[in-house]
Amino acid sequence: MKSRLSFILFCVSSVFLLQCKDFKGTSNTHKMFREVSQIIKSKSLFSDSLNWNQIGDSLSVLSFGENDSANNELIFSFFTNQLRNVGDK
């Protein structure tokens, strides 16, 4: 059952990334975004409150570069702000 759920979450996040046409960054950045979004979707009490379509649109304006650690910090800050906006502390 867990493997099915993991597979479904992976597919959903992959489709989500493909919809973000202007999503830049390295393959590690893409992988980190998928992992963080999967964790939030499966573990956060506030994941249903997030507008995942709006998150996809917002990602296209983030300035990802070739530095993976800077990209990771940008991803963590972005999701932290999104969760705080819907009431997660």
Side-chain angles (χ1 to χ4, degrees):
M1 183 66 182
K2 287 184 180 182
S3 62
R4 280 186 179 175
L5 179 62
S6 296
F7 177 74
I8 290 170
L9 288 173
F10 174 76
C11 290
V12 167
S13 62
S14 296
V15 169
F16 178 70
L17 275 177
L18 290 174
Q19 291 175 349
C20 304
K21 298 172 194 142
D22 297 328
F23 186 79
K24 295 178 177 55
T26 66
S27 62
N28 288 335
T29 300
H30 291 267
K31 182 179 177 185
M32 179 60 70
F33 174 79
R34 282 192 307 270
E35 289 177 9
V36 171
S37 63
Q38 285 177 346
I39 290 169
I40 290 171
K41 286 177 183 178
S42 65
K43 305 282 185 191
S44 175
L45 298 174
F46 294 87
S47 66
D48 292 339
S49 300
L50 293 172
N51 183 344
W52 289 100
N53 291 329
Q54 183 183 13
I55 288 174
D57 294 341
S58 299
L59 281 175
S60 65
V61 298
L62 294 176
S63 55
F64 292 112
E66 295 300 317
N67 184 333
D68 286 332
S69 29
N71 291 343
N72 292 346
E73 180 63 33
L74 193 58
I75 289 169
F76 291 135
S77 296
F78 174 77
F79 277 113
T80 300
N81 290 332
Q82 293 296 314
L83 286 167
R84 285 186 179 157
N85 287 339
V86 294
D88 195 351
K89 304 292 183 217

